[in-house]
Amino acid sequence: MEEFETIKKEDKHLAREPNLKDYDETYRTFSWEDARKEVAFFEDGSLNAAYNAVDKYRGTDKWEKTALIWLDSDRTEKRYTFRQLSEESNRFANLLLKLGIKKGDRVFIFMPRIPQLYFAFLGILKTGAIAGTLFQAFGPAALKDRLGNSEAVAVVTHESLKERIYEVKGELPELKHIIVVGEAKEGEVPFSSAEGMSPEFSIAHTKEEDYAFMLYTSGTTGKPKGVLHAHAACIQEHITAKWVLDLKEDDIYWCTADPGWVTGIAYTILGNWSNGVTTLIYNGRFSPDSWYKIIEDYKVSVWYTAPTAIRMLMKEGDEIPKKYDLSSLRYMCSVGEPLNPEAVVWGMKVFNKPFHDGWWQTETGAIMIANYPAMDVKPGSMGKPIPGVVAGVVDDNGNQLKTGEEGNLAIKRGWPSMMRAIWKNEDKYKSYFIGDWYISGDKASVDEDGYFWFVGRADDVIKTAGERVGPFEVESALIDHPAVAEAAVIGKPDELRGEIIKAFITLNKGYEKNDELKKEIQQFVKKHMAGHAYPREIDFMDSLPKTRSGKIMRRLLKAKELGLPIGDTSTLEND
Ligand code: ATP
Ligand code: MG
């Protein structure tokens, strides 16, 4: 994959001097104590991530600065200053207190991306309770699993979604309160009752190690896991928002992630506001025109999105972005799935700057490996570990492998935003570790310059004719063909070769599904990759199965192919 030319720092057209000026120097000298100095502790040494995101600005010039620009799907717009975020979340915290919510209680949010979601999240943290998030598209079964497993005592929801909770409420004995935005019926708590509460609140002096939020993983590889994070996570979320997203005081920052997933918590609430940055939230669906229009209208300067969205934009072609003035964009990042090198290069072509890929997980709580503004980008590489993080590639016994060898992507224990538990599943938690290493479940390699390269999920790596082949590389080669929009690759059992590579692809506009095209694509991959690593079988698809956070679910394709049970599909899109 290194056939793609390195994008030199000078060629990125950086409009501003980066916050992280010298990666190597900072990596060498940094200690987490330095980052702790940048977040706001209480005088007694306690740390509350909501206080750090919002209330620390009281008495500063940021207090009346716009923190949130909220944009509804119909383009209704509302703006909130840090002061207003503080007051609204304080009111909500007072409401929770009145309901008897205590420190450590799980209070879940099941809402569209409306302003109340953000007030509620901050308010929950302020009481010392644990905020959980549930993606708005979840159905009753997914809700039951998560609210049941976490023994949530309250759920904050919206009139348009609440009926789904009632479908399973009988099976949720711990669930006492349903707080509803919009029309509330008897027995429910109207969110609006917070309006009568005091805008002042005495924020809980939580300890760094106290739990702040929990959420369930995306369910890409199996049943979602309930991951617990401590208030200390905000230390790393702060420093990565500063270094990796390169957020600056005068930015208009748009992250497209939903708080139902960890990116939406870490980088649309805690890390971004900790840096005092005006954050745009769009409560609408994806379409190239609406997205480009938002960038134009709001002069978005930093944009954080996901490979699936970038691939969709690519698929729609290069003419649409030309209709818009996108000159405000100064920096672009991506997370969630491997970012194909084609997508990085496409960024250069259309926006005159690359997308900066970064790797992390629900469990890691913040960005771990990334590309930085001040560093050359090798398209297809996840970049280098953030200062303070030691990443490595290890075998199944925890022995570090040599440069270039593929193995388990692992992190040395002890970064601030590391998950503190898997809810009620100590064994699962322990299973992540071999000695000092946290084992991510992803396969990767590291090159001679220290750049990390994603190979695939451990479960997805294909063994064909005695060779191990990572799906990412084959998928990227497929996407490089002009006809292919998206690709997912699996190993299909084969008597002769152990496994053969089978690809599922969607096509770009204007291409016809036929055998000739299949052959041409096979030849194309054969030429671009090692001969054994081309897909012997290709199926044309109208769309690929994805999680609701936009990740390709290879396990589903594989199960269907093999006629096996498909497992947990609670996060499957269009279910
Ligand atoms: P589950 O653990 O339930 O199967 P999931 O792993 O998709 O779901 P998340 O925690 O949301 O849940 O996603 C983390 C995973 O996403 C990583 O382990 C990795 O496989 C993938 N990922 C995230 N960012 C990148 C990236 N930049 N490059 C490659 N893969 C990435
Ligand atoms: Mg995972």
Side-chain angles (χ1 to χ4, degrees), residues 39 41-42 46-52 103-104 121-122 124-131 203-213 228-237 270 416-418 420:
V39 300
F41 287 80
F42 289 110
S46 49
L47 177 67
N48 187 299
Y51 173 82
N52 175 62
K103 185 176 172 195
F121 189 91
L122 294 164
I124 296 165
L125 263 55
K126 286 180 174 188
T127 65
I130 302 169
I203 298 172
H205 282 212
T206 40
K207 303 276 177 302
E208 270 183 67
E209 290 307 311
D210 286 339
Y211 295 148
F213 63 93
L228 265 292
H229 281 288
H231 282 269
C234 76
I235 299 168
Q236 190 165 338
E237 291 163 352
L270 299 177
S417 64
M418 183 173 98
R420 298 303 198 263

Side-chain angles (χ1 to χ4, degrees), residues 288 312 314-317 320 482-485 506-512:
M312 280 199 268
M314 285 169 70
K315 183 177 174 181
E316 296 297 325
I320 308 177
V484 180
T506 65
L507 295 181
N508 279 320
K509 279 191 190 137
Y511 288 92
E512 241 183 78

Side-chain angles (χ1 to χ4, degrees), residues 140-168:
L143 296 173
K144 198 208 97 190
D145 278 356
R146 291 160 178 77
L147 293 170
N149 174 261
S150 63
E151 297 166 315
V153 299
V155 58
V156 194
T157 187
H158 185 262
E159 58 181 8
S160 64
L161 301 178
K162 69 181 185 184
E163 289 312 323
R164 289 187 223 161
I165 300 170
Y166 283 104
E167 283 187 43
V168 291

Side-chain angles (χ1 to χ4, degrees), residues 502-520:
K502 170 149 193 177
F504 300 83
I505 60 174
T506 65
L507 295 181
N508 279 320
K509 279 191 190 137
Y511 288 92
E512 241 183 78
K513 303 171 180 168
N514 58 44
D515 285 345
E516 218 171 303
L517 180 60
K518 267 190 202 175
K519 287 210 185 80
E520 187 192 312

